[in-house]
């Protein structure tokens, strides 16, 4: 099967998933932004129901995606998180995040720059992983399109078909508006040593 055929098949799996999504999850996602807005809690706490719902969608997408335990190509790309997410993660893993400032230098990502929480091709903070990780999955038929390099080590250029959960993203935006400044950076900037102290 050619790359174009694989890509079309991934689009078809994505459409299948979106048609088969449990209606109660779709409704929960539609209601989530208002629920988050009405919560009487710190922004860090408001993120928890968002992450919980993202997990439910990820489980529902399971039969349609190529992602499996031990596949870690996406752990070598940018993993953008906000300061609020970094503080929530810090509270779960017991490691304070570094102070980050916007950088004018563009970081290069690849197999030589794994997420600082990647251990033996598995996420060491899986149950506490940020939204970017929970929302990332591949509708491709195998992990091959996710590889960052071809068999000769040359960078691959392509697009992987990933899920889109609009209500969840809208709920996150509610939290970010409440906070004001989001301090968006890569997880490696916030936690350069991972769980090491």
């Amino acid at each position: 099967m050619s790359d174009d055929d694989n890509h079309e098949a991934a689009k078809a799996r994505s459409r299948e998933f979106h048609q088969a999504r449990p209606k109660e999850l779709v409704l929960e996602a539609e209601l989530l932004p208002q629920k988050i807005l009405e919560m009487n809690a710190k922004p860090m706490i408001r993120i928890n129901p968002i992450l919980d719902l993202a997990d439910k969608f990820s489980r529902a997408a399971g039969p349609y995606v190529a992602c499996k335990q031990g596949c870690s190509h996406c752990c070598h790309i940018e993993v953008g998180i906000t300061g609020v997410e970094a503080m929530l993660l810090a509270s779960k893993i017991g490691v304070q995040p570094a102070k980050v400032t916007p950088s004018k230098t563009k970081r290069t990502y690849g197999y030589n720059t794994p997420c600082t929480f990647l251990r033996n091709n598995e996420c060491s903070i899986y149950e506490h992983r940020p939204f970017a990780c929970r929302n990332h999955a591949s509708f491709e038929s195998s992990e091959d399109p996710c590889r960052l390099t071809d068999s000769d080590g040359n960078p691959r250029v392509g697009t992987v078909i990933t899920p889109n959960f609009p209500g969840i993203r809208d709920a996150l935006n509610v939290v970010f508006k409440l906070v004001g400044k989001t301090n968006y950076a890569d997880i490696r900037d916030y936690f350069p040593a991972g769980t090491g102290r």
Side-chain angles (χ1 to χ4, degrees), residues 32-194:
L32 189 59
Q34 188 62 35
K35 175 184 174 182
I36 297 302
L37 187 61
E38 293 172 357
M39 285 177 76
N40 183 17
K42 293 179 181 180
M44 185 173 81
I45 302 304
R46 294 178 196 226
I47 290 179
N48 286 318
I50 298 168
L51 298 179
D52 291 343
L53 186 56
D55 275 346
K56 291 177 187 176
F57 270 106
S58 293
R59 283 191 295 277
Y64 302 91
V65 300
C67 308
K68 304 290 179 246
Q69 188 174 357
C71 176
S72 63
H73 302 295
C74 60
C75 302
H76 295 84
I77 63 174
E78 180 182 16
V79 181
I81 66 172
T82 63
V84 173
E85 290 177 286
M87 292 306 295
L88 176 61
L89 180 55
S91 75
K92 303 287 187 180
I93 65 172
V95 175
Q96 285 304 305
K99 292 191 186 322
V100 299
T101 55
S103 173
K104 295 183 182 2
T105 308
K106 179 125 173 81
R107 177 182 287 187
T108 303
Y109 299 94
Y111 289 120
N112 60 338
T113 57
C115 174
T116 51
F117 295 109
L118 187 64
R119 303 283 183 272
N120 300 317
N121 285 332
E122 293 187 4
C123 180
S124 64
I125 59 161
Y126 188 81
E127 72 179 274
H128 306 301
R129 70 199 184 286
F131 177 75
C133 302
R134 292 169 199 252
N135 191 53
H136 190 89
S138 167
F139 285 108
E140 306 295 335
S141 59
S142 74
E143 69 178 80
D144 291 340
C146 299
R147 294 182 190 282
L148 305 179
T149 57
D150 64 20
S151 58
D152 295 326
N154 300 313
R156 287 179 56 101
V157 178
T159 304
V160 174
I161 305 297
T162 60
N164 180 18
F165 309 136
I168 298 173
R169 220 174 262 293
D170 294 343
L172 264 180
N173 287 332
V174 167
V175 174
F176 299 153
K177 284 179 184 171
L178 291 170
V179 172
K181 189 175 178 184
T182 58
N183 290 337
Y184 186 82
D186 188 83
I187 197 168
R188 298 162 185 85
D189 296 326
Y190 279 111
F191 299 97

